[in-house]
Amino acid sequence: MTLESKRKYNFILVTILLFLSYPLLRSIEWHGSTHLHTFMEIIATLLALFVGILSFIHYHTNKSNQLFLLIAVGFFGTAFLDGYHAIVTSLFFAEYFPSIPSSLIPWSWIASRLFLSIFLFWSYIHFRYMHSTTINERHLYTFASLSTLTTFLFFAFVPLSNAYNTEFIFHRMAEWVPGLFFSLALCGYLVKGNWKKDIFEYWLTLSLIVSVISQIVFMSSSEVLFDIEFDAAHLLKKISYILVLIGLLKSIYKLVLYGVIQRAELIKQTYKLKRYQRIAGLGSYLLNFKTGIWTSSEILDELFGIDQSYNHSTEGWTLIVHPDDRIKMDDYLKNEVLAKGKPFDKEYRIVRQTDQSIRWLHGLGKLEFDNDGLPVKMVGTVQDITEQKRASDSLLKLSLAVEQSPNSIVITDLDGKIEYVNNMFIKVTGYSRDEVLGQNPRILKSGKTPQTTFKEMWAHLTRGDIWHGEIINRRKDKSIYIESATITPVKQADGKITNYVAIKEDITEKKKAEAYTENLAYFDQLTGLPNRRMLQAQVKYRLNMAQSNHQPLTVMFLDLDNFKNINDSLGHTVGDQVLIKIAKRIKKAIREVDTVSRLGGDEFIMLFPNTDANAAMHIATTLIQEISKASVVEHNELTITPSIGIAIYPNDGNDFKTLLKNAETAMYRVKNDSRNGFHFVTPEMQLSASRNLQLENALRHALKRNELQLYYQPQISTSNGQIIGAEALLRWHHPELGMISPAEFIPIAESSGQIIEIGEWVLRTAIRQTKNWMDDGFTPMIIAVNLSVVQFRQKNLLTLITDILAEVQLPNEYLELELTEAVTMHDPESVINVMNTFHEQGIRMSIDDFGTGYSSLSYLKKFKVYKLKIDQSFIRDISNDPDDRAIVSAIIDMASNLGLQTIAEGVETAEQLAFLRLHGCHEVQGYYFSKPLPSVEFEQFRHNHDLTSPPLNQQADFEGDY
């Protein structure tokens, strides 16, 4: 049970006992109540006087608690008034003063209780609201004396009505006044007091409870039971005094016990102090200047290596001091300490008498003077500082070594705040010591050190490991320098890290020398391009990447046409300047990931990772255009043309030697033809490149010459055979080359960037045509338009499409945008964002060629699409290929479970149609219904289709399960 719980139970128990005492007291018949009353008042007087004395003693023991002062004064006054009441109510007093007024005796009992209740209430007020205010004792004593005297005179000489009128309960209204003050004080201590923890306040609160009960008994005394109730009330008053007395005794006992504990602790600490002094080598002495004798502590004798038989005179002390320090010590004592009255404070050496070892001591001393101001004594201490001196000397050497170190040294705390820098740091950085102390080393940050370096550094340091690396920093004057840094965590004996120490070397010049040497070894000194040695390293890396990723790698061998003529006619200086210009133009024309190297003379080798024949053709064309531009060198206008040979891994070779040889052979083929061009290794590739270049150039004029046309292929509902939509398909009819397949010219349009303009034309034409058909009375249908990956990456794609729809006034829900499965899985997260924006605008999205790519089902369910188009490669053989039938039925079932519609393209037979209808495919398109048609023919097809029954009722017999 806790102390707080015990006190609660005590409160409850005392209160119950006191309430039970009331009927008990009523049942007892008292005899000789006057004598008993006088006796009880005498007891009350003595108790109040004892409480006052103890409270006064307690206050003077601890003057910081003025509660005891108020209690003391209150009970002293109460003792006086209780004594007065005991006298005037005794038979002895009545015999000697028979003429006393009849009103004097009955009312005198209120005096003490009124006085005490006011002071107890005052004690609470002071405790609660004025505890920080110091009570003036003289004013308090004066006030208490005057109050006591006033109360005495008032009740002694002011005639009052008969107090023994006992007709009704609570008839003596004067009793309410002390009752009110007792109750207020009790409420205050109960609610705001510290009675749960403070032992005196606990018993004072109990006393107030009893006082309130006593006052209730006083006020409720009746004529029938007057003696019993009257004596019971007096008894309760005495109990309230006793409770305060108990609280005081317990509090004083606690103080006394605390004093005993403190004294024991003082003895213990004194013993510890002596032990610590012995450990610290700290002795004490007293030197009497008149007698020249000094007394020393046991520890000082041990320091000096002497005992009590040693000559404790000034001469004896001088003999202990090291011979080299005696003159200085004597001079210091006479001229500084004795002459000027300064305290003794000096370090000196002694020769220990027992082992003749030399020890360093630090002496302190304070002079004591006589009435004439002359020094008579000196009291002080002497401490052995030999080890500190040695450590200090070592530290001084270390400090000098650190300060004079050729490396920068920085010490920081765990938060990175600089605590120390040496002179080399100041010299290297240009910052003064005051400018960097308390700062973070990031004031040197240049922004050129990779973040990975700092992450690696802190990963080492937080583990308590040493880190070594290079950091690119910035001096105060903004110049950049490179440091080789070693940062070490400083650990205590328990392994706790307290600081970080960085030792740094400025390696800027060393790096420049290394860079120059590397430049000589790996770079062409004329053009600054990588040389053959650097090219070999790049080739090895690029070939490994190409093999790992199954990607093409293009190697180009470029040679300048007739460059020898420039050297022979204009000199090598002009030739060198031409080579420098050509090198810059080549670097400008290629990507950052590409590599260009000068082998020597006018030969350049280039590597293009992930570059196929089509892309290589464009790069070669660009290089020819850039290099062939006229140049002015030393007032000579020169036009240089290149010959380029192209070899592509893996078709033209699996190693660099083979690739380079084939590219060089292809280059000489250009030289033999007409120069100023490029050539692939194989005739087929060269023919394909020529065809692509021809188509690319022709395609640039196709729109202006109205060579492009949209064809429309109907999309049929399998449920009712109605045309519910059409797919817009791009066709190109060249006047000379004839009809060109989309499979041939669409990739060229994408790689050359022409697909953006062509794609906008397709969207605009298809949307306008659909709106025209609706205006002509045809049933509204959905128009499906394919988007290429280049179009899909346009940032303004949504704005472009919505503007076209608004311009043509075609409702958004009649436009369907088809994306291939490969496009959707290239960057699924960005695709989801774009699809969401189209979905919010009410524009339909579908996935084309489904099943040919590598769709992620987790992304598929996030795509805002409404339809999957099953690729025709699966439809072609579903009549006889069980694998295709299984794939198609699985796609339809999956789409159905995801709430998506399906459409099959390439439907050419009734058997294919029947299978698709049987398995729940929603829509179909293909030659079984119609091939793609120009707009006029498509209109006629729609008209005829609406007049005839769709061929959807024909069924086919299939073997096997579906």
Side-chain angles (χ1 to χ4, degrees), residues 155-193:
F155 288 107
F157 299 105
V158 176
L160 299 170
S161 60
N162 187 1
Y164 294 107
N165 183 10
T166 59
E167 295 177 1
F168 303 102
I169 296 176
F170 300 137
H171 55 283
R172 286 191 286 278
M173 301 304 294
E175 297 285 0
W176 280 87
V177 179
L180 175 63
F181 281 110
F182 279 133
S183 299
L184 291 174
L186 174 61
C187 291
Y189 276 108
L190 278 175
V191 177
K192 300 292 184 179

Side-chain angles (χ1 to χ4, degrees), residues 582-602:
I582 296 300
K584 290 180 179 178
R585 289 181 181 181
I586 293 174
K587 289 183 67 176
K588 181 181 178 182
I590 64 177
R591 303 168 300 181
E592 287 288 335
V593 295
D594 302 329
T595 301
V596 55
S597 169
R598 180 183 175 225
L599 291 187
D602 59 346

Side-chain angles (χ1 to χ4, degrees), residues 255-302:
L255 277 177
V256 172
L257 181 62
Y258 179 71
V260 172
I261 293 173
Q262 274 192 323
R263 182 172 180 81
E265 185 66 23
L266 180 61
I267 295 171
K268 181 180 178 181
Q269 293 300 327
T270 303
Y271 171 76
K272 285 185 177 180
L273 180 60
K274 288 183 178 179
R275 185 158 60 91
Y276 295 154
Q277 285 179 342
R278 188 180 303 279
I279 294 172
L282 183 65
S284 58
Y285 66 88
L286 187 150
L287 173 60
N288 190 317
F289 291 116
K290 290 185 177 180
T291 62
I293 302 299
W294 50 277
T295 56
S296 56
S297 66
E298 180 183 347
I299 298 172
L300 185 59
D301 289 345
E302 293 176 4

Side-chain angles (χ1 to χ4, degrees), residues 439-712:
Q439 299 292 323
N440 192 287
R442 69 171 62 96
I443 62 172
L444 304 174
K445 189 175 181 179
S446 65
K448 297 181 180 295
T449 305
Q451 286 299 317
T452 53
T453 300
F454 293 113
K455 290 180 180 179
E456 179 192 359
M457 177 186 75
W458 282 111
H460 278 73
L461 296 180
T462 51
R463 291 196 307 265
D465 296 337
I466 299 173
W467 178 82
H468 180 76
E470 294 181 0
I471 302 175
I472 304 173
N473 279 335
R474 189 189 305 275
R475 296 185 178 90
K476 184 179 179 180
D477 62 3
K478 307 303 180 184
S479 61
I480 302 297
Y481 69 103
I482 306 172
E483 288 185 312
S484 174
T486 300
I487 304 179
T488 305
V490 179
K491 301 178 183 178
Q492 293 179 337
D494 59 359
K496 181 181 179 182
I497 300 174
T498 59
N499 294 88
Y500 298 115
V501 177
I503 301 176
K504 303 187 290 182
E505 179 185 2
D506 186 352
I507 58 172
T508 308
E509 296 303 321
K510 180 181 178 182
K511 281 290 182 181
K512 288 180 180 179
E514 289 177 355
Y516 178 74
T517 304
E518 183 180 358
N519 189 274
L520 291 175
Y522 292 101
F523 292 90
D524 176 51
Q525 297 305 297
L526 177 63
T527 61
L529 297 176
N531 58 16
R532 183 185 294 270
R533 189 174 180 183
M534 175 66 84
L535 178 63
Q536 290 289 346
Q538 284 290 317
V539 164
K540 184 177 180 181
Y541 170 73
R542 294 300 180 190
L543 271 176
N544 287 336
M545 292 295 294
Q547 291 168 358
S548 300
N549 300 327
H550 304 287
Q551 295 174 342
L553 175 66
T554 295
V555 177
M556 291 190 185
F557 195 116
L558 185 150
D559 185 85
L560 300 180
D561 299 331
N562 301 315
F563 181 74
K564 184 175 181 298
N565 296 338
I566 296 176
N567 279 335
D568 293 344
S569 59
L570 300 177
H572 288 279
T573 301
V574 173
D576 288 348
Q577 294 183 45
V578 170
L579 289 174
I580 293 171
K581 284 181 177 289
I582 296 300
K584 290 180 179 178
R585 289 181 181 181
I586 293 174
K587 289 183 67 176
K588 181 181 178 182
I590 64 177
R591 303 168 300 181
E592 287 288 335
V593 295
D594 302 329
T595 301
V596 55
S597 169
R598 180 183 175 225
L599 291 187
D602 59 346
E603 294 178 340
F604 298 87
I605 305 299
M606 287 164 283
L607 306 177
F608 299 94
N610 196 20
T611 303
D612 57 14
N614 193 36
M617 176 191 71
H618 285 95
I619 294 172
T621 303
T622 302
L623 286 169
I624 292 171
Q625 292 173 353
E626 288 294 324
I627 295 173
S628 300
K629 292 179 181 178
S631 302
V632 177
V633 180
E634 293 188 2
H635 309 292
N636 298 297
E637 184 173 339
L638 304 173
T639 300
I640 309 296
T641 60
S643 294
I644 304 173
I646 305 172
I648 301 177
Y649 167 87
N651 297 332
D652 300 328
N654 290 319
D655 58 82
F656 180 63
K657 183 177 180 181
T658 304
L659 288 169
L660 185 61
K661 179 182 177 181
N662 288 335
E664 185 177 12
T665 302
M667 183 271 296
Y668 280 114
R669 208 174 287 161
V670 180
K671 293 278 190 185
N672 294 331
D673 290 344
S674 59
R675 303 178 187 270
N676 192 26
F678 64 89
H679 210 291
F680 287 92
V681 173
T682 63
E684 294 81 11
M685 192 174 291
Q686 182 65 27
L687 183 62
S688 174
S690 299
R691 167 74 173 179
N692 288 344
L693 187 59
Q694 181 186 20
L695 291 180
E696 180 180 330
N697 292 330
L699 190 59
R700 297 187 188 279
H701 308 288
L703 273 178
K704 295 179 182 178
R705 296 172 179 172
N706 296 320
E707 297 173 5
L708 299 180
Q709 187 179 3
L710 284 187
Y711 279 45
Y712 301 90

Side-chain angles (χ1 to χ4, degrees), residues 690-760:
S690 299
R691 167 74 173 179
N692 288 344
L693 187 59
Q694 181 186 20
L695 291 180
E696 180 180 330
N697 292 330
L699 190 59
R700 297 187 188 279
H701 308 288
L703 273 178
K704 295 179 182 178
R705 296 172 179 172
N706 296 320
E707 297 173 5
L708 299 180
Q709 187 179 3
L710 284 187
Y711 279 45
Y712 301 90
Q713 186 173 36
Q715 296 175 335
I716 310 298
S717 171
T718 58
S719 62
N720 56 24
Q722 297 296 318
I723 298 175
I724 59 173
E727 182 179 7
L729 300 169
L730 182 62
R731 296 293 184 264
W732 180 19
H733 187 274
H734 191 272
E736 297 176 0
L737 302 175
M739 187 65 75
I740 302 170
S741 170
E744 186 178 14
F745 74 81
I746 291 296
I748 294 175
E750 289 180 337
S751 63
S752 64
Q754 299 180 63
I755 194 66
I756 299 296
E757 183 181 4
I758 294 174
E760 181 179 349

Side-chain angles (χ1 to χ4, degrees), residues 342-360:
K342 291 182 178 181
F344 183 88
D345 186 354
K346 191 169 183 62
E347 294 180 358
Y348 57 95
R349 290 171 295 173
I350 65 165
V351 178
R352 201 163 184 268
Q353 298 301 294
T354 53
D355 55 10
Q356 297 298 302
S357 62
I358 299 174
R359 313 291 295 178
W360 273 97

